[in-house]
Amino acid sequence: MDILLGLLAIIIVLGIGFLMSNDRKNINYTGIGVMLVFQLITTWFVFNTPIGQWIIGTISAGFTNLINYGKEGVAFVLPNVANVGEDGSSANVFFLDVLLIIIFFATILSVLTYLRILPLIIKYIGMFISWITGLPKVESFNAVNSMFFGQSEALLAIKSQFHHLNDNRLYIVSASAMGSVSASIVGAYLGMLPDQFVLVAIPLNMFSALILGSLIAPVKVKKEDDRVDVKDVSGAKSFFEAMGNGALDGGKIALIVAAMLIAFIASLELVNGIIAFFFNGVTLQTILGYVLAPIAFLMGIPGGELVQAGSLMGTKVVTNEFVAMLELQTFIKDASLSDKTIGIVSVFLTSFANFSSIGIIAGTVQGIDPDKGASVSKFGLKLLIGATLGSILSATIAGLFL
């Protein structure tokens, strides 16, 4: 029954994407089919084979080692705070194990970019995706790039190609940026959610963003307009400058995340206070839970956990993924949700698909090309709907194998 519901959910998601399409005659059905098969094979391989579980375990162990190295740096700078955190203060644990670890991961990304290791990996994986799907190289490169860098950084990496991008191509690269996550904050996610679900969500969401983007805004590109340039991806002039730039960028990201959490959580409490004034015991999360419960049901969430899952999904869309992840952490600690629900919701949450991302992406594009920035603002809501459908698709596919 769960499999039938999951397949129905996939059909509904793809059907909505088809209805939203602005050029149905040019939809790349072959490429979409190939990507769906890749998603199914990847998820089955990771969840249901010993080799896949070993690979995920090895990657997870690698991230754990990196996180531990990062903690050494944090403990040196803030030894007293680190010791308090080890004694069980949840606020300090979040500050140390989530926010400050972002700085170390951003530094590693910056160094790998300066050494041209990461850009070449991204370029050739993107070329492979372009080859098997028939999608343009820029869109494929950007999708892979978005798995490693933040929304702004991913779009800035293809700024030299922006003059080639019409509105449909602009939609796809923006959808990839919104539907992905940055590797610099994956360490933060791993400190909050089960490792295997976060790690499998990264490739699933990359393909989902391309699938929905290809449905909603199909593209056909001339060969002369389809090239990727990764020569000037790092502005650093030396290894140590790259380290310094990465550390500073990571500090900015950590500060931004902290500021957004303060603003969104406080605003959420304010809204809940207003709602409670009129309807005692009712919260925005509860309302969102009931609204999104039918979608959660189709995704494979067990019947008794639909409202909780729906509330987490809704919280992520109206605030951001960190707020929802903090709430999910509470459910995990209380053991009030099944492993299947935790897995499905974790995959859904592992993306930037929320209202605030519209402004981030539109602002970035505006800085690159004012005219195209205006275009992104116009289809901002459509972009969020597409990215959210992509998260639903990824989570549903994960649920088929849980």
Side-chain angles (χ1 to χ4, degrees):
M1 182 66 178
D2 286 348
I3 293 178
L4 291 176
L5 285 174
L7 293 175
L8 177 60
I10 292 172
I11 292 171
I12 291 174
V13 166
L14 297 180
I16 294 173
F18 177 80
L19 293 175
M20 291 174 63
S21 180
N22 55 30
D23 188 7
R24 294 171 192 162
K25 293 180 180 179
N26 286 317
I27 292 176
N28 181 1
Y29 294 105
T30 301
I32 290 170
V34 168
M35 288 186 284
L36 278 172
V37 170
F38 259 78
Q39 285 184 308
L40 292 168
I41 292 175
T42 299
T43 311
W44 167 81
F45 180 74
V46 168
F47 288 154
N48 296 102
T49 69
I51 297 176
Q53 292 171 8
W54 176 83
I55 291 173
I56 286 293
T58 302
I59 296 173
S60 177
F63 272 105
T64 299
N65 288 333
L66 290 175
I67 291 170
N68 288 334
Y69 295 142
K71 288 179 180 178
E72 291 296 321
V74 173
F76 178 81
V77 176
L78 298 168
N80 294 329
V81 179
N83 290 334
V84 173
E86 289 171 1
D87 291 338
S89 169
S90 60
N92 282 323
V93 168
F94 178 78
F95 178 72
L96 294 169
D97 294 353
V98 177
L99 290 184
L100 294 189
I101 294 301
I102 292 173
I103 298 173
F104 180 53
F105 274 76
T107 303
I108 294 173
L109 280 181
S110 180
V111 169
L112 291 176
T113 302
Y114 167 74
L115 296 175
R116 295 181 57 77
I117 295 172
L118 203 53
L120 288 176
I121 292 173
I122 292 170
K123 178 179 180 179
Y124 288 108
I125 294 177
M127 289 175 63
F128 174 72
I129 292 175
S130 178
W131 177 64
I132 63 172
T133 63
L135 289 171
K137 294 176 184 176
V138 171
E139 282 81 342
S140 301
F141 170 83
N142 181 74
V144 180
N145 199 42
S146 295
M147 291 196 299
F148 295 92
F149 298 99
Q151 299 172 91
S152 299
E153 295 89 338
L155 292 171
L156 287 170
I158 58 168
K159 64 181 180 181
S160 62
Q161 277 84 40
F162 256 68
H163 62 284
H164 292 303
L165 304 183
N166 58 25
D167 282 357
N168 276 17
R169 300 189 71 185
L170 190 61
Y171 182 93
I172 292 180
V173 297
S174 298
S176 292
M178 184 181 282
S180 64
V181 293
S182 165
S184 62
I185 62 174
V186 166
Y189 293 160
L190 295 176
M192 303 169 72
L193 302 178
D195 296 3
Q196 70 270 29
F197 302 131
V198 173
L199 294 175
V200 80
I202 295 172
L204 286 183
N205 283 332
M206 178 198 70
F207 281 120
S208 290
L210 286 175
I211 289 170
L212 270 300
S214 297
L215 276 170
I216 295 171
V219 294
K220 282 194 174 182
V221 180
K222 297 178 182 178
K223 287 187 178 180
E224 58 268 24
D225 292 334
D226 189 24
R227 59 182 181 273
V228 175
D229 181 12
V230 294
K231 291 181 180 179
D232 300 316
V233 290
S234 175
K237 299 297 187 291
S238 69
F239 178 88
F240 293 104
E241 184 181 352
M243 286 190 67
N245 290 343
L248 291 173
D249 289 342
K252 292 175 185 176
I253 294 171
L255 183 60
I256 289 170
V257 170
M260 291 179 69
L261 283 174
I262 292 170
F264 280 117
I265 291 176
S267 299
L268 189 60
E269 289 303 311
L270 172 61
V271 171
N272 284 338
I274 294 171
I275 294 174
F277 180 79
F278 296 100
F279 307 99
N280 188 36
V282 179
T283 65
L284 178 61
Q285 292 96 315
T286 304
I287 295 171
L288 292 171
Y290 281 105
V291 170
L292 295 177
I295 296 175
F297 175 70
L298 289 175
M299 291 166 64
I301 302 292
E305 301 171 357
L306 294 175
V307 175
Q308 295 97 316
S311 71
L312 291 166
M313 292 161 55
T315 299
K316 182 249 186 160
V317 174
V318 299
T319 58
N320 65 36
E321 74 279 6
F322 275 104
V323 178
M325 286 178 183
L326 287 170
E327 292 190 6
L328 178 56
Q329 261 194 318
T330 303
F331 286 117
I332 294 174
K333 290 176 182 176
D334 295 343
S336 55
L337 293 178
S338 64
D339 290 341
K340 181 169 185 175
T341 297
I342 291 170
I344 293 173
V345 174
S346 294
V347 172
F348 180 89
L349 297 184
T350 307
S351 83
F352 292 138
N354 57 63
F355 277 101
S356 60
S357 290
I358 299 174
I360 294 172
I361 291 174
T364 301
V365 177
Q366 179 78 21
I368 298 172
D369 186 321
D371 291 336
K372 296 190 183 301
S375 297
V376 172
S377 297
K378 289 178 182 177
F379 59 62
L381 184 58
K382 192 174 185 179
L383 184 62
L384 176 60
I385 294 172
T388 303
L389 287 171
S391 294
I392 294 172
L393 177 62
S394 296
T396 301
I397 288 176
L400 292 175
F401 298 93
L402 291 174

